[in-house]
Every structure is written in structure tokens, then in C-alpha cells.
């Protein structure tokens, strides 16, 4: 089981949209995927688990009250399992912060799944801050995928994220953490700015940047309000095409063992 954290401390850059649709894209290719919602807002949970009634969250395993195996919610999507989130996770930050080894708690909670090789991939949708849950996710992950919005200040904050990644490696908490890549999101082909931003980022980061660029489409933004992935909501549109392509490129990088130490 490979664990991928989808993170960027900036909000609204496409972390959840990417977690949900990459997870669904991989599942559609027959990979068994666990989507772990770590954001107390629960947006990933509504996208794939809207029909679940009070699904369990990582709260139990993180407080030692239950085992992670009891928190797996099957979804309507074949090969896709969910660990849900809700607002309870907000209070959890404080509880986890008080624990010994407080950075290792998500890693510890997911360990039985790793040992059992329960899924091909676990995708962790991180909350938008450099808080306890996100740093825990980086400690729990093998790789980090960073969605970057196509806008002028796209790379603002990226240095900080890379610094934290380096600290996590050097502290020994997770020496093997690597970067799967950067992913440009919300690309608007009608503006020259978006084009210029992608060009600029590609010049700086070259192969660290995924070839796949996610377009800005209304379909991607409205899919969650219907409780659907893009493959259900607009299977033939450009959003589904892009996330399908991302899933292929992600698998290819995985097979080629392509990973980077830093951006
Ligand atoms: N490619 C896209 N095209 C249009 N809207 C998008 C796209 N990606 C994300 N959005 C919308 O932008 C907002 C922020 O995206 P989200 O994935 O929730 O970001 P994050 O998880 O980083 O906060 C949401 O309303 C989402 O539906
Ligand atoms: Mg989100």
C-alpha cells in the first residue's frame, strides 16, 4: 500500500477535487483505493459518501478508542473505500498535539492497513493549514502531491511546504518522504496569465511538474454539490478527461518509481 498525501497549506487550490477525482480515476482503472478525508469540513466525504449515515472518522483510531479497520466505509464506487471526516476532527488537532509522538499518530493509526497491504493506494486529503493533521499526514505518507492553482501567486507558500517536508525527513519521523509532483489546477485557457504561469512553473520545476494540467470547468466545481465525482457527473467532459489522464500519469510515475526529494 502506497500512501499519498495531497497537500498545500493554501485553501481553495484543488486539493479535495484532486483527491476525490484521482482516487476515483485510479479506482476506475481497477486499483483498490482508500480515500482518507482529513479535513474537518468533510468535502471529500460529501463527494463520495453523501449517502452514508454518520460514517466513522479517523477520530477513533487517533484517540485509541477504535481500530482503523472499523472506520472503513464502502462507497458506491467500485474499488473505492472512504475514511470520512466531519467537524469532530477540528477538536482532534488539540488532542493529538498533547500526545507523545504527536506527529506519528496518523502513521500509527494507518499501520494495520499498511501491514495488511489492504489497498493499492491510500490518498490523504489534507486540510488547508500547516497544522497537526497535515504534518501528521506528511509523516504518514510515502509521497506528497501538491496541487498548485494557476494564478499569479501560485508558488507562494511552496517554499514553506518544502521546508516542512525537509524537516519531517531530517527529524527521522519519515526519512523516506518524497515528492510525487506538483499539479497545476484550474487552468483557464482563455487567459494569457494561466498560460504564462504554467510556462513559468514548468521552466522552474521541469519533470517535478505533472504533464497533466487540470482545466477550470464549472462541471468540476458543481460535481460535489451533487455528491458525485467528475466521472459520474460529466464523464465525457474535459474534467474527467484530465483526471483520467492524471491517474494514468500518476500510475506511470509509480511504476517508474519516479519521485523527487524536493521541488
Ligand atoms: N478545475 C477546477 N475547475 C473549477 N472549479 C474547481 C476546480 N478545482 C476545484 N474547483 C473548485 O474550487 C474550490 C476549491 O477547490 P477544492 O478542491 O475544494 O480546494 P481545496 O481542497 O484545496 O480547498 C471548490 O469550490 C471546487 O469545487
Ligand atoms: Mg479541501
Amino acid at each position: 500500500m502506497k500512501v499519498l498525501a495531497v497537500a498545500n497549506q493554501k485553501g481553495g487550490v484543488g486539493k479535495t477535487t484532486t483527491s476525490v477525482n484521482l482516487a476515483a480515476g485510479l479506482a476506475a482503472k481497477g486499483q483498490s483505493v482508500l480515500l482518507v478525508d482529513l479535513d474537518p469540513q468533510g468535502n471529500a466525504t460529501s463527494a463520495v459518501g453523501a449517502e452514508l449515515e454518520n460514517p466513522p472518522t479517523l477520530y477513533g483510531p487517533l484517540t485509541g478508542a477504535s481500530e482503523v479497520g472499523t472506520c472503513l466505509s464502502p462507497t458506491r464506487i467500485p474499488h473505492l473505500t472512504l475514511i470520512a471526516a466531519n467537524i469532530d476532527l477540528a477538536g482532534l488537532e488539540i488532542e493529538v498535539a498533547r500526545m507523545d509522538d504527536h506527529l506519528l499518530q496518523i502513521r500509527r493509526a494507518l499501520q494495520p492497513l499498511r501491514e495488511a497491504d489492504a489497498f493499492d493506494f491510500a490518498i490523504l486529503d489534507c486540510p488547508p493549514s500547516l497544522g497537526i493533521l497535515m504534518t501528521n499526514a506528511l509523516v504518514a505518507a510515502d509521497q506528497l502531491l501538491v496541487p498548485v492553482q494557476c494564478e499569479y501567486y501560485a508558488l507562494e507558500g511552496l517554499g514553506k511546504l518544502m521546508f516542512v517536508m525537509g524537516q519531517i525527513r531530517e527529524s527521522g519521523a519519515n526519512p523516506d518522504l518524497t515528492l510525487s509532483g506538483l499539479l497545476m489546477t484550474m487552468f483557464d485557457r482563455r487567459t494569457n496569465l494561466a498560460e504564462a504561469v504554467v510556462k513559468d512553473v514548468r521552466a522552474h520545476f521541469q519533470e517535478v511538474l505533472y504533464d497533466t494540467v487540470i482545466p477550470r470547468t464549472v462541471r468540476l466545481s458543481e460535481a460535489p454539490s451533487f455528491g458525485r465525482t467528475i466521472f459520474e457527473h460529466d464523464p465525457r467532459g474535459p474534467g474527467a478527461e484530465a483526471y483520467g489522464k492524471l491517474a494514468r500519469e500518476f500510475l506511470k510515475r509509480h511504476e517508474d518509481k519516479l519521485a523527487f526529494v524536493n521541488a
Side-chain angles (χ1 to χ4, degrees), residues 24-110:
L26 290 171
K29 297 191 186 317
Q31 303 289 323
S32 71
V33 183
L34 173 66
L35 176 62
V36 184
D37 190 352
L38 291 176
D39 189 336
Q41 293 188 52
N43 294 339
T45 300
S46 344
V48 303
E51 54 281 319
L52 301 168
E53 269 179 52
N54 289 322
T57 71
L58 216 51
Y59 194 92
L62 284 176
T63 54
S66 63
E67 215 251 321
V68 68
T70 65
C71 301
L72 305 176
S73 298
T75 71
R76 63 181 182 275
I77 299 158
H79 312 298
L80 182 63
T81 301
L82 172 72
I83 295 183
N86 61 37
I87 196 67
D88 292 350
L89 289 188
L92 190 63
E93 291 247 346
I94 300 162
E95 286 186 51
V96 172
R98 286 203 197 104
M99 296 174 182
D100 295 336
D101 292 335
H102 64 271
L103 288 181
L104 297 177
Q105 296 307 314
I106 291 184
R107 191 171 189 93
R108 181 190 52 74
L110 296 180

Side-chain angles (χ1 to χ4, degrees), residues 37-255:
D37 190 352
L38 291 176
D39 189 336
Q41 293 188 52
N43 294 339
T45 300
S46 344
V48 303
E51 54 281 319
L52 301 168
E53 269 179 52
N54 289 322
T57 71
L58 216 51
Y59 194 92
L62 284 176
T63 54
S66 63
E67 215 251 321
V68 68
T70 65
C71 301
L72 305 176
S73 298
T75 71
R76 63 181 182 275
I77 299 158
H79 312 298
L80 182 63
T81 301
L82 172 72
I83 295 183
N86 61 37
I87 196 67
D88 292 350
L89 289 188
L92 190 63
E93 291 247 346
I94 300 162
E95 286 186 51
V96 172
R98 286 203 197 104
M99 296 174 182
D100 295 336
D101 292 335
H102 64 271
L103 288 181
L104 297 177
Q105 296 307 314
I106 291 184
R107 191 171 189 93
R108 181 190 52 74
L110 296 180
Q111 195 55 29
L113 301 178
R114 266 194 197 273
E115 277 164 19
D117 204 19
F119 299 92
D120 294 317
F121 297 102
I123 296 181
L124 315 180
D125 180 26
C126 293
S129 78
L130 277 168
I132 295 277
L133 286 174
M134 179 178 142
T135 39
N136 255 274
L138 293 183
V139 172
D142 299 295
Q143 290 206 326
L144 164 65
L145 174 67
V146 186
V148 173
Q149 191 179 342
C150 291
E151 55 167 10
Y152 191 63
Y153 292 110
L155 300 174
E156 200 185 52
L158 191 66
K160 185 89 200 256
L161 183 56
M162 291 304 118
F163 176 75
V164 170
M165 191 180 163
Q167 276 188 320
I168 286 171
R169 258 197 312 259
E170 283 152 30
S171 71
N174 186 6
D176 300 326
L177 177 64
T178 58
L179 187 65
S180 167
L182 308 183
L183 172 70
M184 302 302 298
T185 64
M186 298 186 229
F187 176 78
D188 190 342
R189 61 185 165 74
R190 290 166 306 183
T191 72
N192 295 332
L193 175 66
E195 199 81 62
V197 169
V198 173
K199 233 176 146 180
D200 192 36
V201 174
R202 195 170 300 288
H204 274 90
F205 296 103
Q206 301 176 28
E207 69 269 66
V208 177
L209 187 65
Y210 270 82
D211 288 335
T212 306
V213 172
I214 307 299
R216 180 183 285 281
T217 83
V218 174
R219 298 299 221 169
L220 274 169
S221 62
E222 69 191 10
S225 61
F226 293 93
R228 294 180 189 147
T229 71
I230 195 62
F231 301 100
E232 296 166 301
H233 187 59
D234 186 26
R236 280 175 237 301
E241 189 190 331
Y243 276 108
K245 189 172 166 211
L246 177 67
R248 280 195 298 281
E249 192 178 0
F250 174 80
L251 282 177
K252 178 87 172 45
R253 284 187 175 210
H254 179 68
E255 281 155 18

